[in-house]
């Protein structure tokens, strides 16, 4: 609770004036700095924070993250407990609604998601238009954006019922679009959803079903995929979530806002890192090559992908759970030979002063690719496998933003560093 002493006293040495700024939740409002002026015509002081290193952009009750201590909670529930006891669909309900469902609510939710897994037939022809080797993330990005054209009323974002329907559709259709993108790359016919299967099992069916009448997912692999989905469901104000919030703040429909999130996730410093980890491990080839590779990283030639995090300065709790899930998957599929290289990289990096000093630990992407590969996913699909579950996080954050009275269209300021007041020079005089 705020007390009278919860203020920050700022003295402007340019004018000698003193200002008292309230501190709430360890934060001052950047707009409070605008009162600090040299004279009346002065705009006031701004805060400069490239890459949002120290700026809270919202109040959120979705995900709690303590990077120093490696803690991650969805709606207050520790990620470890959710990964052990819950399912992705239950977690998605928790993120969207704020509470765990009772049995009836879970049943209704599961039923709704399951009955919205099909996509309009035209989506198939849309995906068919891509080149045979199109990156699946590019196809997912485009097809999610295209969904807004199939549901034009989705732009009525103030209507809670319409909004809720788009949430169901997004969570339900994401695996279908992802699987269609995969089958397109493989040159295989698209497989329609099987609504008798659970969420991850249906996804595996749409990916891998061939001529058999019914695809029977291995329950151990299905569970491993479900755990990966739980771990990736939300991560507070990361790059892609901030993109969804920023784009959504213009009041565009949620498909377009989520497409912006997918675009942000695609990048190699964000969700695209899992793909890069696998490529890196393949390039290192053998355990004996690890020391040379680490030396190159320390010389700044490249980054150790899957290591480091803007917020975690400790072992990423998701990486710990994934490392354990690797054992369960490898029991079914046999050990991925790249695991040995990954473990050697981790061992050397965790002892090396370069990484220790910078608090660089394995993040969620370091081991997830090994599981995806064991599940026979091509590397191009790895980030898609991140986007599917992150949809529930994006949409929960979007929903929270829509209802937040303090939010307006996102519009940062700049410090202008360019030329001023130049006269146009005709072409023949330049
Ligand atoms: N390998 C080698 N050095 C690194 C790495 C790395 N993976 N990450 C950070 N550093 C160094 C960096 O060079 C810098 O050193 P110096 O102070 O000497 O200049 C210092 O550590 C701080 O790095 P930074 O780039 O200022 O840190 P950041 O918070 O801006 O970047 C990051 C965070 C995740 C982008 C970065 O750690 C990175 O590029 N990691 C590799 C890519 C990766 O695994 N991304 C997945 C992130 S987790 C899941 C997700 O977000 O999708």
């Amino acid at each position: 609770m705020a007390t009278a002493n919860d203020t920050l006293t700022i003295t402007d040495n340019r004018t000698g004036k003193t200002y008292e700024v309230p501190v709430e939740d360890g934060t001052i409002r950047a707009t409070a700095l605008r009162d600090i002026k040299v004279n009346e015509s002065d705009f006031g002081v701004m805060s400069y924070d490239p890459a949002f290193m120290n700026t809270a952009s919202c109040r959120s009750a979705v995900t709690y993250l303590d990077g120093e201590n490696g803690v991650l909670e969805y709606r207050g529930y520790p990620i470890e407990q959710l990964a052990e006891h819950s399912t992705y669909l239950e977690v998605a309900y928790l993120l969207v609604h704020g509470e765990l469902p009772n049995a009836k609510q879970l049943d209704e939710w599961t039923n709704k998601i399951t009955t919205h897994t099909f996509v309009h037939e035209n989506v198939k022809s849309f995906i068919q238009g891509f080149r045979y080797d199109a990156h699946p993330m590019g196809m997912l990005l485009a097809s999610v954006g295209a969904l807004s054209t199939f549901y034009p009323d989705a732009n009525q974002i103030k209507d809670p019922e319409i909004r809720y329907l788009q949430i169901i559709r997004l969570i339900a259709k994401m695996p279908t679009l992802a699987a269609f993108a995969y089958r397109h790359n493989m040159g295989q016919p698209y497989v329609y959803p099987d609504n008798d299967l659970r969420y991850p099992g249906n996804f595996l069916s749409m990916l891998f079903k061939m001529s058999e009448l019914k695809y029977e997912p291995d329950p151990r692999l299905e569970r491993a995929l479900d755990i990966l989905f739980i771990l990736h469901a939300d991560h507070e104000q990361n790059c892609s979530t901030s993109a969804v919030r920023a784009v959504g703040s213009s009041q565009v429909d949620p498909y377009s806002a989520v497409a912006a999130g997918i675009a942000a996730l695609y990048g190699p410093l964000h969700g695209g890192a899992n793909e890069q980890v696998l490529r890196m491990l393949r390039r290192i080839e053998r355990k004996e090559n690890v020391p040379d590779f680490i030396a190159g990283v320390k010389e700044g030639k490249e980054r150790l992908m899957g290591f480091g995090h803007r917020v975690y300065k400790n072992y990423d709790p998701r990486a710990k759970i994934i490392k354990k899930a690797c054992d369960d998957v490898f029991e079914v599929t046999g050990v991925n030979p790249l695991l040995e290289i990954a473990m050697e990289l981790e061992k050397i990096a965790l002892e090396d002063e370069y990484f220790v000093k910078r608090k660089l630990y394995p993040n969620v992407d370091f081991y997830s690719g090994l599981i995806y590969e064991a599940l026979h996913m091509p590397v191009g699909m790895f980030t898609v496998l991140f986007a599917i579950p992150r949809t529930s996080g994006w949409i929960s954050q979007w929903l929270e933003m829509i209802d937040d009275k303090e939010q307006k269209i996102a519009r940062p300021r700049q410090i202008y560093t360019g030329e001023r007041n130049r006269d146009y020079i005709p072409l023949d005089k330049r």
Side-chain angles (χ1 to χ4, degrees), residues 269-271 273 303-304 306-310 354 358 363 365 386:
L269 296 189
H270 193 7
R303 289 202 160 190
L304 172 51
F307 257 69
H309 199 276
R310 171 63 58 78
Y354 174 95
R358 291 171 177 80
N363 60 49
D365 294 319
F386 192 154

Side-chain angles (χ1 to χ4, degrees), residues 51 53 232 235 238-240 264-265 267-274 276-277 293-294 297-298 300 302-313 316 318 354-355 357-366 383 386 390:
M53 297 287 287
H232 286 89
H235 213 231
N238 54 82
C239 177
S240 56
L265 192 73
L269 296 189
H270 193 7
N274 55 16
Q276 298 310 322
V277 170
F293 176 82
I294 293 277
V297 169
K298 286 161 64 178
E302 61 184 301
R303 289 202 160 190
L304 172 51
M305 298 311 283
F307 257 69
H309 199 276
R310 171 63 58 78
V311 184
Y312 289 122
K313 299 301 166 200
D316 180 337
R318 301 167 300 172
Y354 174 95
F355 296 90
K357 204 171 88 192
R358 291 171 177 80
K359 298 189 176 170
L360 301 172
Y361 290 88
N363 60 49
V364 68
D365 294 319
F366 193 64
T383 315
F386 192 154
R390 183 54 60 88

Side-chain angles (χ1 to χ4, degrees), residues 11 30 82 297 329 380:
T11 303
L82 293 170
V297 169
V329 170

Side-chain angles (χ1 to χ4, degrees), residues 5 14 24 29 32 51 78 87 118 131 136 145 153 174 179 183-184 192 251 264-265 335 356 420 428:
N5 288 336
R14 298 170 304 174
E24 202 184 334
R29 282 184 184 261
T87 61
F118 278 69
R131 263 174 63 127
D153 61 347
M174 201 59 90
R183 303 283 292 203
H184 179 74
Y192 287 112
Q251 302 195 346
L265 192 73
V335 175
V356 174
R420 292 284 323 278
D428 59 352

Side-chain angles (χ1 to χ4, degrees), residues 112 153-154 156-169 399:
K112 274 196 197 111
D153 61 347
Q156 292 174 46
I157 58 158
K158 298 274 159 81
D159 182 322
E161 266 180 48
I162 293 183
R163 223 159 52 187
Y164 196 67
L165 181 57
Q166 315 319 315
I167 292 174
I168 301 280
R169 282 179 174 148
L399 204 54

